[in-house]
Amino acid sequence: MQVLITENYDELSEVAASIIIEEMQKKKDIVLGLATGSTPIGTYQNLVAASKNNIISFADAICYNLDEYLGLNKDHEQSYHYFMNDNLFNHVDIKPDNINIPAGDLVDANEAVNDYIKKLALKERDIQILGIGENGHIGFNEPGTSFASQTHITELSLETRESNKRFFNNLDEVPKYAITMGISEIMAAKKILLLISGKNKAKTVKELLEGYRSEAFPASVLLDHDNITLVVDKEAMSLVE
Ligand code: PGA
């Protein structure tokens, strides 16, 4: 695991974006795995700026997102469809057909899961961008998820819902279920870029770098990936000796 430590969040966002930009310049038809959450927002801002300056183009890029809440329409402001449009897709030249996000608004959620498993199998992702939950979740793979899992419906832990309630009016409004890419599919990406920022993640980083693999701490599976770069800011590193 390569660990890049940055001074702060802004530098983390620049470093992460520069890694992605370099790969996008090498391969125009890159396949990107994308994440939502607060952490990658700065990275996306840098990618949008690079796209506007014609340093990169998304014209031939294909994107796959990690997860989506179950039961929110695509135009709901807290849906991850909305998040991705707002933070990235509306500002770059990506083709709508090349955007893949699990459908959280289908009447038949199992159909949405099976569709996504099939879609993921069509392309090998060159880079998977990841954040991490305080409890070690990746995507919405909560503690206890099998390392062998594929895309599935997941019940969000109370901790995750509490952490995400900042985006909703109250806890009751936070969906209880989501569709998430599975851990085996996350691990199938050729390269993983794990972004971690802030004091609230310091314990999580410490646990990750202690190197103990357990399904109780989903991100520990990443220790087995042979091409992973962790970009972490000083606050998030503050408990690591
Ligand atoms: P965050 O979320 O980037 O908003 O901290 C990360 C996650 O829960 O995976």
Side-chain angles (χ1 to χ4, degrees):
M1 178 183 284
Q2 182 187 30
V3 182
L4 304 176
I5 301 169
T6 66
E7 208 48 52
N8 52 39
Y9 176 72
D10 286 347
E11 196 192 342
L12 174 149
S13 302
E14 282 165 23
V15 169
S18 68
I19 292 170
I20 300 162
I21 289 168
E22 199 182 317
E23 298 290 331
M24 290 183 75
Q25 287 173 329
K26 279 196 279 197
K27 190 174 176 197
K28 302 284 173 222
D29 56 349
I30 193 161
V31 183
L32 296 172
L34 300 177
T36 52
S38 312
T39 314
I41 290 177
T43 305
Y44 296 150
Q45 284 168 350
N46 283 290
L47 293 181
V48 168
S51 167
K52 288 200 191 307
N53 291 324
N54 295 319
I55 293 166
I56 51 169
S57 165
F58 283 78
D60 297 317
I62 298 177
C63 294
Y64 284 92
N65 263 81
L66 282 171
D67 46 19
E68 177 59 289
Y69 288 119
L70 212 55
L72 298 189
N73 286 325
K74 292 186 174 65
D75 55 3
H76 188 291
E77 282 193 17
Q78 296 311 329
S79 77
Y80 289 162
H81 279 78
Y82 188 97
F83 175 101
M84 289 309 303
N85 288 334
D86 198 35
N87 286 289
L88 182 64
F89 298 145
N90 284 349
H91 313 289
V92 298
D93 54 346
I94 189 158
K95 297 187 178 86
D97 282 353
N98 288 344
I99 297 172
N100 299 286
I101 306 177
D105 57 351
L106 286 192
V107 177
D108 184 350
N110 288 318
E111 186 187 328
V113 165
N114 291 330
D115 275 359
Y116 210 61
I117 290 174
K118 281 188 210 141
K119 277 187 184 164
L120 277 170
L122 294 176
K123 297 278 173 190
E124 185 178 32
R125 272 154 294 135
D126 295 293
I127 309 187
Q128 176 66 56
I129 300 165
L130 281 184
I132 189 171
E134 286 175 42
N135 64 1
H137 75 204
I138 47 175
F140 271 139
N141 292 285
E142 297 284 27
T145 307
S146 164
F147 284 170
S149 56
Q150 286 187 297
T151 300
H152 59 282
I153 296 167
T154 177
E155 181 170 6
L156 302 179
S157 67
L158 184 59
E159 192 179 2
T160 295
R161 293 180 63 237
E162 285 280 359
S163 158
N164 288 3
K165 95 176 168 201
R166 66 192 194 275
F167 302 113
F168 294 83
N169 291 320
N170 54 54
L171 183 64
D172 282 346
E173 282 187 14
V174 185
K176 293 193 171 67
Y177 295 91
I179 298 178
T180 184
M181 194 187 287
I183 292 181
S184 72
E185 293 157 328
I186 290 174
M187 289 293 280
K190 281 194 237 170
K191 177 176 180 63
I192 289 185
L193 193 56
L194 174 60
L195 313 180
I196 316 184
S197 168
K199 265 211 178 83
N200 61 322
K201 298 283 172 70
K203 258 181 72 185
T204 315
V205 173
K206 184 172 188 302
E207 197 167 341
L208 177 67
L209 295 182
E210 272 164 5
Y212 179 67
R213 287 174 79 266
S214 161
E215 287 179 352
F217 188 73
S220 64
V221 73
L222 301 172
L223 301 165
D224 290 344
H225 200 283
D226 59 11
N227 187 354
I228 171 162
T229 299
L230 173 56
V231 190
V232 54
D233 65 17
K234 276 194 171 158
E235 280 193 350
M237 276 302 273
S238 57
L239 293 178
V240 178
E241 296 168 5

